[in-house]
Coordinates of all heavy atoms in Angstrom, one line a residue:
M1041 N 0.9 -1.2 0.0 CA 0.0 0.0 0.0 C 0.9 1.2 0.0 O 1.9 1.3 0.7 CB -0.9 0.0 1.2 CG -1.8 -1.2 1.4 SD -3.4 -0.9 0.8 CE -4.2 -0.1 2.1
A1042 N 0.5 2.2 -0.8 CA 1.3 3.4 -0.9 C 0.4 4.6 -1.3 O -0.5 4.3 -2.1 CB 2.4 3.2 -1.9
W1043 N 0.6 5.7 -0.7 CA -0.2 6.9 -1.1 C 0.3 7.3 -2.5 O 1.5 7.5 -2.8 CB 0.0 8.0 -0.1 CG -0.6 7.7 1.2 CD1 -0.1 7.2 2.3 CD2 -2.0 7.9 1.5 NE1 -1.0 7.0 3.3 CE2 -2.2 7.4 2.8 CE3 -3.1 8.3 0.8 CZ2 -3.5 7.5 3.4 CZ3 -4.4 8.4 1.4 CH2 -4.5 7.9 2.7
Q1044 N -0.7 7.6 -3.4 CA -0.3 8.0 -4.7 C -1.2 9.2 -5.1 O -2.5 9.1 -4.9 CB -0.5 6.9 -5.8 CG 0.4 5.8 -5.6 CD 0.6 4.9 -6.8 OE1 0.6 5.5 -7.9 NE2 0.7 3.7 -6.7
K1045 N -0.6 10.2 -5.7 CA -1.5 11.3 -6.2 C -2.2 10.8 -7.4 O -1.7 10.2 -8.3 CB -0.6 12.5 -6.6 CG -1.3 13.6 -7.2 CD -0.4 14.7 -7.8 CE -1.3 15.7 -8.6 NZ -0.5 16.8 -9.2
V1046 N -3.6 11.1 -7.4 CA -4.4 10.6 -8.5 C -5.1 11.7 -9.2 O -5.6 11.5 -10.3 CB -5.4 9.6 -8.0 CG1 -4.7 8.3 -7.6 CG2 -6.3 10.1 -6.9
A1047 N -5.2 12.9 -8.6 CA -6.0 14.0 -9.2 C -5.6 15.3 -8.4 O -5.0 15.2 -7.4 CB -7.5 13.7 -9.1
T1048 N -6.2 16.4 -8.9 CA -6.1 17.6 -8.2 C -7.5 18.1 -7.9 O -8.5 17.6 -8.5 CB -5.4 18.7 -9.0 OG1 -6.0 18.9 -10.2 CG2 -3.9 18.4 -9.2
Q1049 N -7.6 19.0 -6.9 CA -9.0 19.4 -6.4 C -9.9 19.8 -7.5 O -11.1 19.5 -7.4 CB -8.8 20.5 -5.4 CG -8.0 20.2 -4.1 CD -8.9 19.4 -3.1 OE1 -10.1 19.2 -3.4 NE2 -8.3 19.1 -2.0
G1050 N -9.4 20.5 -8.5 CA -10.3 21.0 -9.6 C -10.8 19.9 -10.5 O -11.7 20.1 -11.3
D1051 N -10.2 18.7 -10.4 CA -10.6 17.6 -11.3 C -12.0 17.0 -11.0 O -12.6 16.5 -11.9 CB -9.6 16.5 -11.3 CG -8.3 16.9 -11.9 OD1 -8.2 17.8 -12.7 OD2 -7.2 16.3 -11.5
V1052 N -12.4 17.1 -9.8 CA -13.7 16.5 -9.4 C -14.6 17.5 -8.6 O -14.2 17.9 -7.5 CB -13.5 15.1 -8.6 CG1 -12.6 15.3 -7.5 CG2 -14.8 14.5 -8.2
G1053 N -15.6 17.8 -9.3 CA -16.5 18.8 -8.7 C -17.5 18.2 -7.7 O -17.6 16.9 -7.6
D1054 N -18.1 19.0 -6.9 CA -19.0 18.4 -5.9 C -20.2 17.7 -6.5 O -20.8 18.2 -7.5 CB -19.6 19.5 -4.9 CG -20.0 19.0 -3.6 OD1 -19.5 17.9 -3.2 OD2 -20.9 19.6 -3.0
G1055 N -20.5 16.5 -6.0 CA -21.6 15.7 -6.6 C -21.2 15.0 -7.9 O -22.0 14.5 -8.6
A1056 N -19.9 15.0 -8.2 CA -19.4 14.4 -9.4 C -18.6 13.1 -9.1 O -18.1 12.9 -8.0 CB -18.5 15.4 -10.2
V1057 N -18.4 12.3 -10.1 CA -17.5 11.1 -10.1 C -16.7 11.1 -11.3 O -17.2 11.3 -12.4 CB -18.3 9.8 -9.9 CG1 -19.5 9.7 -10.9 CG2 -17.4 8.6 -9.9
I1058 N -15.4 10.8 -11.2 CA -14.5 10.7 -12.3 C -13.7 9.4 -12.2 O -13.7 8.8 -11.2 CB -13.5 11.9 -12.4 CG1 -12.6 11.9 -11.2 CG2 -14.2 13.2 -12.6 CD1 -11.4 12.8 -11.3
Q1059 N -13.2 9.0 -13.4 CA -12.3 7.8 -13.4 C -10.9 8.3 -13.4 O -10.5 9.2 -14.1 CB -12.6 7.1 -14.7 CG -11.7 5.9 -14.9 CD -11.8 5.3 -16.3 OE1 -12.8 4.6 -16.5 NE2 -11.0 5.7 -17.2
V1060 N -10.1 7.6 -12.6 CA -8.6 7.8 -12.7 C -8.0 6.4 -12.8 O -8.6 5.4 -12.4 CB -8.1 8.5 -11.4 CG1 -8.6 9.9 -11.3 CG2 -8.3 7.8 -10.1
T1061 N -6.8 6.3 -13.3 CA -6.1 5.0 -13.4 C -4.8 5.1 -12.6 O -4.0 6.0 -12.7 CB -5.8 4.8 -14.9 OG1 -7.0 4.8 -15.7 CG2 -5.2 3.4 -15.1
V1062 N -4.7 4.1 -11.8 CA -3.5 4.0 -10.9 C -2.9 2.6 -11.1 O -3.5 1.6 -10.8 CB -3.9 4.1 -9.4 CG1 -2.6 4.1 -8.6 CG2 -4.7 5.4 -9.2
G1063 N -1.7 2.6 -11.7 CA -1.0 1.3 -11.9 C -1.8 0.3 -12.7 O -1.8 -0.9 -12.5
G1064 N -2.6 0.9 -13.7 CA -3.4 0.0 -14.6 C -4.7 -0.3 -14.0 O -5.5 -1.0 -14.7
R1065 N -5.0 0.1 -12.8 CA -6.3 -0.2 -12.1 C -7.2 1.0 -12.2 O -6.8 2.1 -11.9 CB -6.0 -0.6 -10.7 CG -7.3 -1.0 -9.9 CD -6.8 -1.6 -8.6 NE -8.0 -2.2 -7.9 CZ -7.9 -2.9 -6.7 NH1 -6.7 -3.1 -6.2 NH2 -8.9 -3.4 -6.2
Q1066 N -8.4 0.8 -12.6 CA -9.4 1.9 -12.7 C -10.0 2.1 -11.4 O -10.6 1.2 -10.7 CB -10.5 1.5 -13.7 CG -10.1 1.6 -15.1 CD -11.3 1.4 -16.0 OE1 -12.4 2.0 -15.8 NE2 -11.2 0.7 -17.1
I1067 N -10.0 3.4 -11.0 CA -10.5 3.9 -9.7 C -11.6 4.9 -10.0 O -11.4 5.8 -10.9 CB -9.4 4.5 -8.8 CG1 -8.2 3.5 -8.6 CG2 -9.9 5.0 -7.5 CD1 -8.6 2.3 -7.8
A1068 N -12.7 4.9 -9.2 CA -13.7 6.0 -9.3 C -13.4 6.9 -8.1 O -13.2 6.5 -7.0 CB -15.1 5.4 -9.2
L1069 N -13.4 8.2 -8.4 CA -13.1 9.2 -7.4 C -14.4 10.1 -7.3 O -14.9 10.6 -8.4 CB -11.9 10.0 -7.9 CG -11.1 10.7 -6.8 CD1 -10.5 9.7 -5.9 CD2 -10.0 11.5 -7.6
Y1070 N -14.9 10.2 -6.1 CA -16.2 10.9 -5.9 C -16.0 12.1 -5.0 O -15.2 12.0 -4.1 CB -17.2 10.0 -5.2 CG -17.4 8.6 -5.8 CD1 -16.4 7.6 -5.4 CD2 -18.4 8.3 -6.6 CE1 -16.6 6.3 -5.8 CE2 -18.6 7.0 -7.1 CZ -17.6 6.0 -6.7 OH -17.8 4.7 -7.1
R1071 N -16.8 13.2 -5.2 CA -16.8 14.2 -4.2 C -18.3 14.5 -3.8 O -19.1 14.8 -4.6 CB -16.2 15.5 -4.7 CG -16.1 16.6 -3.6 CD -15.8 18.0 -4.1 NE -14.6 18.1 -4.8 CZ -13.4 18.4 -4.2 NH1 -13.3 18.6 -2.9 NH2 -12.3 18.5 -5.0
V1072 N -18.5 14.3 -2.5 CA -19.9 14.5 -2.0 C -19.8 15.4 -0.7 O -19.1 15.1 0.2 CB -20.5 13.2 -1.6 CG1 -21.9 13.4 -1.0 CG2 -20.6 12.3 -2.8
G1073 N -20.5 16.5 -0.8 CA -20.5 17.4 0.4 C -19.1 17.9 0.7 O -18.8 18.1 1.9
G1074 N -18.2 18.0 -0.2 CA -16.8 18.5 0.0 C -15.9 17.4 0.4 O -14.7 17.6 0.5
E1075 N -16.4 16.2 0.7 CA -15.6 15.0 1.0 C -15.3 14.1 -0.2 O -16.2 14.0 -1.0 CB -16.3 14.2 2.1 CG -15.3 13.4 3.0 CD -16.0 12.7 4.2 OE1 -17.2 13.1 4.5 OE2 -15.4 11.8 4.7
I1076 N -14.1 13.6 -0.2 CA -13.7 12.8 -1.4 C -13.6 11.3 -1.0 O -13.1 10.9 0.1 CB -12.4 13.3 -2.0 CG1 -12.5 14.7 -2.4 CG2 -11.9 12.4 -3.2 CD1 -11.2 15.4 -2.7
F1077 N -14.1 10.4 -1.9 CA -14.1 9.0 -1.7 C -13.6 8.3 -2.9 O -13.6 8.8 -4.0 CB -15.6 8.5 -1.5 CG -16.3 9.2 -0.3 CD1 -17.0 10.3 -0.5 CD2 -16.2 8.7 1.0 CE1 -17.6 11.0 0.5 CE2 -16.8 9.3 2.0 CZ -17.6 10.5 1.8
A1078 N -13.0 7.1 -2.7 CA -12.4 6.4 -3.8 C -12.8 4.9 -3.7 O -12.8 4.3 -2.6 CB -10.9 6.5 -3.8
T1079 N -13.3 4.3 -4.8 CA -13.6 2.9 -4.9 C -13.1 2.4 -6.2 O -12.7 3.1 -7.1 CB -15.2 2.7 -4.9 OG1 -15.7 3.1 -6.2 CG2 -15.9 3.4 -3.8
D1080 N -13.1 1.0 -6.3 CA -12.8 0.5 -7.6 C -13.8 1.0 -8.6 O -15.0 1.3 -8.2 CB -13.0 -1.1 -7.6 CG -11.7 -1.8 -7.7 OD1 -10.6 -1.2 -7.9 OD2 -11.7 -3.0 -7.5
N1081 N -13.4 1.2 -9.9 CA -14.4 1.7 -10.8 C -15.2 0.7 -11.5 O -16.2 0.9 -12.2 CB -13.7 2.6 -11.9 CG -14.6 3.4 -12.7 OD1 -15.6 3.9 -12.2 ND2 -14.3 3.6 -14.0
I1082 N -14.7 -0.6 -11.4 CA -15.4 -1.7 -12.1 C -16.4 -2.4 -11.1 O -16.0 -2.8 -10.0 CB -14.4 -2.7 -12.6 CG1 -13.4 -2.0 -13.5 CG2 -15.1 -3.8 -13.4 CD1 -13.9 -1.3 -14.7
C1083 N -17.6 -2.5 -11.5 CA -18.7 -3.1 -10.7 C -18.3 -4.5 -10.4 O -17.7 -5.2 -11.2 CB -20.0 -3.1 -11.5 SG -21.4 -3.7 -10.6
T1084 N -18.7 -5.0 -9.2 CA -18.3 -6.4 -8.8 C -19.3 -7.4 -9.4 O -19.1 -8.6 -9.3 CB -18.4 -6.5 -7.3 OG1 -19.7 -6.1 -6.8 CG2 -17.3 -5.7 -6.6
H1085 N -20.3 -6.9 -10.1 CA -21.3 -7.9 -10.7 C -20.9 -8.3 -12.1 O -21.0 -9.5 -12.4 CB -22.7 -7.2 -10.7 CG -23.8 -8.0 -11.3 ND1 -24.5 -7.7 -12.5 CD2 -24.3 -9.2 -10.9 CE1 -25.3 -8.6 -12.8 NE2 -25.2 -9.6 -11.8
A1086 N -20.5 -7.4 -12.9 CA -20.1 -7.7 -14.3 C -19.2 -6.5 -14.7 O -18.9 -5.6 -13.9 CB -21.2 -7.9 -15.2
F1087 N -18.8 -6.4 -16.0 CA -17.9 -5.4 -16.4 C -18.7 -4.1 -16.7 O -19.2 -4.0 -17.8 CB -17.0 -5.8 -17.5 CG -15.9 -4.8 -17.8 CD1 -14.7 -4.8 -17.1 CD2 -16.1 -3.8 -18.7 CE1 -13.7 -3.9 -17.3 CE2 -15.1 -2.9 -18.9 CZ -13.9 -2.9 -18.2
A1088 N -18.7 -3.2 -15.8 CA -19.3 -1.9 -16.1 C -18.5 -0.8 -15.3 O -18.0 -1.1 -14.2 CB -20.8 -1.9 -15.6
C1089 N -18.4 0.4 -15.9 CA -17.7 1.4 -15.2 C -18.6 2.3 -14.4 O -19.5 2.9 -14.9 CB -17.0 2.3 -16.3 SG -15.7 1.4 -17.2
L1090 N -18.3 2.3 -13.1 CA -19.2 3.0 -12.2 C -19.2 4.5 -12.4 O -20.2 5.2 -12.1 CB -18.9 2.7 -10.8 CG -19.2 1.2 -10.4 CD1 -18.7 0.9 -9.0 CD2 -20.6 0.8 -10.6
H1091 N -18.1 5.1 -12.9 CA -18.1 6.5 -13.1 C -19.1 7.0 -14.2 O -19.4 8.1 -14.3 CB -16.7 7.0 -13.5 CG -16.3 6.8 -14.9 ND1 -15.9 5.6 -15.4 CD2 -16.2 7.7 -15.9 CE1 -15.6 5.7 -16.7 NE2 -15.8 7.0 -17.0
E1092 N -19.6 6.0 -14.9 CA -20.7 6.3 -15.9 C -22.1 6.1 -15.3 O -23.1 6.2 -16.0 CB -20.5 5.4 -17.1 CG -19.2 5.7 -17.9 CD -18.9 4.7 -19.0 OE1 -19.6 3.6 -19.1 OE2 -18.0 5.0 -19.8
G1093 N -22.1 5.8 -14.0 CA -23.4 5.5 -13.4 C -24.0 6.8 -12.8 O -23.6 7.9 -13.1
Y1094 N -24.9 6.6 -11.8 CA -25.7 7.7 -11.3 C -25.3 7.9 -9.8 O -25.6 7.0 -9.0 CB -27.2 7.5 -11.4 CG -28.0 8.5 -10.8 CD1 -28.0 9.8 -11.2 CD2 -28.9 8.1 -9.8 CE1 -28.8 10.8 -10.6 CE2 -29.7 9.1 -9.2 CZ -29.7 10.4 -9.6 OH -30.5 11.3 -9.0
L1095 N -24.7 9.0 -9.5 CA -24.3 9.3 -8.1 C -25.4 10.0 -7.4 O -25.8 11.1 -7.9 CB -23.0 10.1 -8.1 CG -22.4 10.5 -6.7 CD1 -22.0 9.3 -5.9 CD2 -21.2 11.4 -6.9
D1096 N -25.9 9.5 -6.3 CA -27.0 10.1 -5.5 C -26.6 10.1 -4.1 O -26.6 9.1 -3.4 CB -28.3 9.3 -5.8 CG -29.5 9.9 -5.0 OD1 -29.4 11.1 -4.6 OD2 -30.5 9.2 -4.8
G1097 N -26.2 11.3 -3.6 CA -25.7 11.3 -2.2 C -24.4 10.4 -2.1 O -23.5 10.5 -2.9
H1098 N -24.5 9.5 -1.2 CA -23.3 8.6 -1.0 C -23.5 7.2 -1.6 O -22.9 6.3 -1.3 CB -23.1 8.4 0.5 CG -22.5 9.6 1.2 ND1 -23.3 10.5 1.9 CD2 -21.3 10.1 1.2 CE1 -22.6 11.5 2.4 NE2 -21.3 11.3 2.0
T1099 N -24.4 7.2 -2.6 CA -24.6 5.9 -3.4 C -24.3 6.1 -4.8 O -24.6 7.2 -5.4 CB -26.0 5.3 -3.2 OG1 -27.0 6.2 -3.8 CG2 -26.4 5.1 -1.7
I1100 N -23.8 5.0 -5.4 CA -23.5 5.0 -6.9 C -24.4 3.9 -7.5 O -24.3 2.8 -6.9 CB -22.0 4.9 -7.2 CG1 -21.8 5.0 -8.7 CG2 -21.4 3.6 -6.7 CD1 -21.9 6.3 -9.3
E1101 N -25.1 4.2 -8.5 CA -25.9 3.2 -9.2 C -25.2 2.8 -10.5 O -24.8 3.6 -11.3 CB -27.3 3.7 -9.6 CG -28.2 2.7 -10.2 CD -29.5 3.3 -10.6 OE1 -30.4 3.5 -9.8 OE2 -29.7 3.7 -11.8
C1102 N -24.9 1.5 -10.6 CA -24.2 1.0 -11.8 C -25.1 1.2 -13.0 O -26.3 1.0 -13.0 CB -24.0 -0.5 -11.6 SG -23.2 -1.3 -13.0
P1103 N -24.4 1.6 -14.1 CA -25.2 1.9 -15.3 C -25.7 0.7 -16.1 O -26.6 0.8 -16.9 CB -24.1 2.7 -16.2 CG -22.8 2.2 -15.8 CD -23.0 1.9 -14.3
L1104 N -25.1 -0.5 -15.7 CA -25.5 -1.7 -16.5 C -26.8 -2.4 -16.0 O -27.7 -2.6 -16.8 CB -24.3 -2.7 -16.6 CG -24.4 -3.8 -17.6 CD1 -24.7 -3.2 -19.0 CD2 -23.1 -4.6 -17.7
H1105 N -26.8 -2.8 -14.7 CA -28.0 -3.5 -14.2 C -28.5 -2.8 -13.0 O -29.2 -3.4 -12.2 CB -27.6 -4.9 -13.8 CG -27.0 -5.7 -14.9 ND1 -25.7 -6.2 -14.8 CD2 -27.4 -6.1 -16.1 CE1 -25.4 -6.9 -16.0 NE2 -26.4 -6.8 -16.8
Q1106 N -28.1 -1.5 -12.7 CA -28.6 -0.7 -11.7 C -28.4 -1.2 -10.3 O -29.1 -0.9 -9.3 CB -30.1 -0.5 -11.9 CG -30.5 0.5 -13.1 CD -30.2 -0.2 -14.4 OE1 -30.7 -1.3 -14.7 NE2 -29.4 0.4 -15.2
G1107 N -27.3 -2.0 -10.1 CA -26.9 -2.3 -8.7 C -26.4 -1.0 -8.0 O -25.9 -0.1 -8.7
V1108 N -26.6 -1.0 -6.7 CA -26.3 0.2 -6.0 C -25.3 -0.1 -4.9 O -25.5 -1.1 -4.1 CB -27.6 0.9 -5.3 CG1 -27.2 2.1 -4.5 CG2 -28.5 1.2 -6.5
F1109 N -24.3 0.7 -4.7 CA -23.2 0.6 -3.7 C -23.2 1.9 -2.8 O -23.4 3.0 -3.4 CB -21.8 0.4 -4.3 CG -21.7 -0.8 -5.1 CD1 -21.9 -0.8 -6.5 CD2 -21.3 -2.0 -4.6 CE1 -21.7 -1.9 -7.3 CE2 -21.1 -3.1 -5.3 CZ -21.3 -3.1 -6.7
D1110 N -22.8 1.7 -1.6 CA -22.5 2.8 -0.7 C -21.0 3.2 -1.0 O -20.1 2.3 -0.8 CB -22.7 2.5 0.8 CG -22.5 3.7 1.7 OD1 -21.6 4.4 1.5 OD2 -23.4 3.8 2.6
I1111 N -20.7 4.4 -1.4 CA -19.3 4.7 -1.8 C -18.4 4.9 -0.5 O -17.2 4.9 -0.7 CB -19.2 6.0 -2.7 CG1 -19.7 7.2 -1.9 CG2 -20.0 5.7 -4.0 CD1 -19.5 8.5 -2.7
R1112 N -19.0 5.0 0.6 CA -18.2 5.2 1.9 C -17.7 3.8 2.4 O -16.6 3.7 2.9 CB -19.1 5.8 3.0 CG -19.5 7.2 2.6 CD -20.6 7.7 3.6 NE -21.8 6.9 3.4 CZ -23.0 7.2 4.0 NH1 -23.1 8.3 4.8 NH2 -24.0 6.4 3.8
T1113 N -18.5 2.8 2.1 CA -18.1 1.5 2.7 C -17.9 0.4 1.6 O -17.3 -0.6 1.9 CB -19.3 1.0 3.6 OG1 -20.5 0.8 2.8 CG2 -19.5 1.9 4.7
G1114 N -18.4 0.7 0.4 CA -18.4 -0.3 -0.7 C -19.5 -1.3 -0.6 O -19.6 -2.2 -1.4
E1115 N -20.3 -1.2 0.4 CA -21.3 -2.2 0.7 C -22.4 -2.2 -0.4 O -22.9 -1.1 -0.9 CB -22.0 -1.9 2.0 CG -23.1 -2.9 2.4 CD -23.9 -2.4 3.7 OE1 -23.4 -1.4 4.3 OE2 -24.9 -3.0 4.0
P1116 N -22.8 -3.4 -0.9 CA -23.8 -3.5 -1.9 C -25.2 -3.2 -1.3 O -25.5 -3.8 -0.2 CB -23.7 -4.9 -2.5 CG -23.0 -5.7 -1.4 CD -22.2 -4.7 -0.6
L1117 N -26.0 -2.4 -1.8 CA -27.3 -2.0 -1.2 C -28.5 -2.5 -1.9 O -29.5 -2.8 -1.3 CB -27.4 -0.5 -1.1 CG -26.3 0.2 -0.3 CD1 -26.4 1.7 -0.3 CD2 -26.3 -0.2 1.2
E1118 N -28.4 -2.6 -3.3 CA -29.6 -2.9 -4.0 C -29.2 -3.6 -5.3 O -28.1 -3.4 -5.8 CB -30.4 -1.7 -4.5 CG -31.2 -1.0 -3.4 CD -31.9 0.3 -3.9 OE1 -32.3 0.3 -5.1 OE2 -32.0 1.2 -3.1
G1119 N -30.2 -4.3 -5.9 CA -30.0 -4.8 -7.3 C -29.2 -6.1 -7.2 O -29.2 -6.8 -6.2
P1120 N -28.7 -6.5 -8.4 CA -28.1 -7.8 -8.4 C -26.7 -7.9 -7.8 O -26.1 -9.0 -7.7 CB -27.9 -8.0 -10.0 CG -27.8 -6.7 -10.5 CD -28.6 -5.8 -9.6
V1121 N -26.2 -6.9 -7.2 CA -24.8 -6.9 -6.7 C -24.9 -7.5 -5.3 O -25.7 -7.2 -4.5 CB -24.1 -5.5 -6.6 CG1 -23.8 -5.0 -8.0 CG2 -25.0 -4.5 -5.9
D1122 N -23.9 -8.4 -5.0 CA -23.8 -8.9 -3.6 C -22.4 -8.9 -3.1 O -22.2 -9.2 -1.9 CB -24.5 -10.4 -3.5 CG -23.9 -11.3 -4.5 OD1 -22.8 -11.0 -5.1 OD2 -24.5 -12.4 -4.7
E1123 N -21.5 -8.6 -3.9 CA -20.1 -8.5 -3.5 C -19.7 -7.0 -3.2 O -20.0 -6.2 -4.1 CB -19.2 -9.0 -4.6 CG -18.2 -10.1 -4.3 CD -17.3 -10.4 -5.4 OE1 -17.8 -11.2 -6.3 OE2 -16.2 -9.9 -5.5
P1124 N -19.1 -6.7 -2.1 CA -18.7 -5.4 -1.8 C -17.7 -4.8 -2.8 O -16.9 -5.6 -3.4 CB -18.1 -5.4 -0.4 CG -18.2 -6.8 0.0 CD -18.7 -7.6 -1.1
L1125 N -17.7 -3.5 -3.0 CA -16.8 -2.8 -3.9 C -15.5 -2.4 -3.0 O -15.7 -1.9 -2.0 CB -17.5 -1.6 -4.3 CG -17.0 -0.8 -5.5 CD1 -17.0 -1.6 -6.8 CD2 -18.0 0.4 -5.7
P1126 N -14.3 -2.8 -3.5 CA -13.1 -2.3 -2.8 C -13.1 -0.8 -2.7 O -13.5 -0.1 -3.6 CB -12.0 -2.8 -3.7 CG -12.5 -4.0 -4.4 CD -14.0 -3.6 -4.7
I1127 N -12.8 -0.3 -1.5 CA -12.6 1.1 -1.3 C -11.2 1.5 -0.9 O -10.5 0.6 -0.4 CB -13.6 1.6 -0.2 CG1 -13.4 0.9 1.2 CG2 -15.1 1.5 -0.6 CD1 -14.1 1.5 2.3
F1128 N -10.8 2.7 -1.0 CA -9.5 3.1 -0.7 C -9.5 4.4 0.1 O -10.3 5.3 -0.1 CB -8.7 3.4 -2.0 CG -8.8 2.3 -3.0 CD1 -9.7 2.2 -4.0 CD2 -7.9 1.2 -2.8 CE1 -9.8 1.1 -4.8 CE2 -7.9 0.1 -3.7 CZ -8.9 0.0 -4.7
P1129 N -8.6 4.5 1.1 CA -8.4 5.7 1.9 C -8.0 6.9 1.0 O -7.2 6.7 0.1 CB -7.4 5.4 2.9 CG -7.2 3.9 2.9 CD -7.6 3.5 1.6
V1130 N -8.5 8.1 1.3 CA -8.2 9.3 0.6 C -7.7 10.3 1.5 O -8.2 10.5 2.6 CB -9.5 9.8 -0.1 CG1 -9.3 11.1 -0.8 CG2 -10.1 8.8 -1.0
R1131 N -6.7 11.1 1.0 CA -6.3 12.3 1.8 C -5.9 13.4 0.8 O -5.7 13.1 -0.4 CB -5.2 12.0 2.8 CG -3.8 11.9 2.2 CD -2.8 11.8 3.3 NE -1.5 12.1 2.8 CZ -0.4 11.3 2.9 NH1 -0.5 10.2 3.6 NH2 0.7 11.6 2.3
T1132 N -5.9 14.6 1.3 CA -5.5 15.7 0.4 C -4.3 16.4 0.9 O -4.1 16.4 2.2 CB -6.7 16.8 0.2 OG1 -7.0 17.2 1.5 CG2 -7.9 16.2 -0.4
E1133 N -3.5 16.9 0.0 CA -2.3 17.6 0.4 C -2.3 18.9 -0.5 O -2.0 18.8 -1.7 CB -1.0 16.8 0.1 CG -0.7 15.8 1.2 CD 0.6 15.1 0.9 OE1 1.3 15.5 0.0 OE2 0.9 14.1 1.6
G1134 N -2.8 20.0 0.1 CA -2.9 21.2 -0.7 C -3.9 20.9 -1.9 O -5.0 20.5 -1.6
D1135 N -3.4 21.1 -3.1 CA -4.3 20.9 -4.2 C -4.4 19.4 -4.7 O -5.2 19.1 -5.6 CB -3.8 21.8 -5.4 CG -4.8 22.0 -6.4 OD1 -6.0 22.2 -6.1 OD2 -4.5 22.0 -7.6
D1136 N -3.5 18.6 -4.1 CA -3.5 17.2 -4.6 C -4.4 16.3 -3.8 O -4.6 16.4 -2.6 CB -2.0 16.7 -4.4 CG -1.0 17.4 -5.3 OD1 -1.4 18.0 -6.3 OD2 0.2 17.4 -5.0
I1137 N -4.9 15.3 -4.6 CA -5.8 14.2 -4.0 C -5.0 13.0 -4.1 O -4.5 12.6 -5.2 CB -7.1 14.1 -4.7 CG1 -7.9 15.4 -4.7 CG2 -7.9 12.9 -4.2 CD1 -9.1 15.4 -5.6
L1138 N -4.8 12.3 -2.9 CA -4.0 11.1 -2.9 C -4.9 9.9 -2.4 O -5.8 10.1 -1.6 CB -2.8 11.2 -2.0 CG -1.8 12.3 -2.3 CD1 -2.1 13.6 -1.7 CD2 -0.4 11.8 -1.8
I1139 N -4.6 8.7 -2.9 CA -5.3 7.5 -2.4 C -4.2 6.5 -2.0 O -3.1 6.5 -2.5 CB -6.3 6.9 -3.3 CG1 -5.7 6.3 -4.6 CG2 -7.4 8.0 -3.7 CD1 -6.7 5.5 -5.4
D1140 N -4.6 5.7 -1.0 CA -3.7 4.6 -0.5 C -4.1 3.4 -1.2 O -5.1 2.8 -1.0 CB -3.9 4.5 1.0 CG -2.8 3.7 1.6 OD1 -1.9 3.3 0.9 OD2 -2.9 3.4 2.8
I1141 N -3.2 2.9 -2.2 CA -3.6 1.8 -3.0 C -2.4 0.8 -3.1 O -1.3 1.3 -3.1 CB -4.1 2.2 -4.4 CG1 -4.6 1.1 -5.2 CG2 -3.0 3.0 -5.1 CD1 -5.4 1.5 -6.4
Ligands
FES1108 FE1 -23.1 -3.5 -12.2 FE2 -24.5 -5.6 -13.2 S1 -22.6 -4.8 -13.9 S2 -25.0 -4.3 -11.5

């Protein structure tokens, strides 16, 4: 595990989710209420990119079969998903956003 810079503050607006790639792994980066969260970007149900889904508060709805995850815990909440989504610790250093991956 190592902290890596993945984005800067201006890259992800409030209520938005973006995709970043770290060491070949796709990560979804979210900002909700000024707080930043990071999860795997690939749904645990099948191959779908969560950054193309619907972010509603602290939940992300998968665009393929509408499975829903809590982005704070990775817990599956609704739909066909039953495997949790990996999550990653986030911290900021000035303008930089880092995740521990
Ligand atoms: Fe995400 Fe099926 S691929 S719910």
Side-chain angles (χ1 to χ4, degrees):
M1041 301 266 277
W1043 289 98
Q1044 296 202 34
K1045 177 185 170 183
V1046 293
T1048 56
Q1049 294 280 359
D1051 291 337
V1052 54
D1054 202 28
V1057 50
I1058 63 168
Q1059 172 190 283
V1060 297
T1061 303
V1062 185
R1065 186 171 185 170
Q1066 286 190 39
I1067 304 294
L1069 207 60
Y1070 315 80
R1071 187 193 297 272
V1072 177
E1075 201 173 348
I1076 299 168
F1077 304 89
T1079 71
D1080 251 354
N1081 193 36
I1082 305 301
C1083 184
T1084 57
H1085 179 242
F1087 190 83
C1089 293
L1090 294 174
H1091 79 285
E1092 295 173 348
Y1094 175 62
L1095 179 64
D1096 181 18
H1098 290 99
T1099 63
I1100 184 76
E1101 181 183 281
C1102 177
L1104 194 53
H1105 306 117
Q1106 289 71 53
V1108 177
F1109 297 93
D1110 188 317
I1111 63 169
R1112 297 167 294 190
T1113 62
E1115 185 187 349
L1117 300 176
E1118 284 177 38
V1121 292
D1122 53 14
E1123 235 184 275
L1125 197 58
I1127 59 170
F1128 305 95
V1130 176
R1131 77 169 196 237
T1132 56
E1133 281 182 8
D1135 200 36
D1136 294 340
I1137 299 170
L1138 298 89
I1139 67 171
D1140 191 7
I1141 186 168

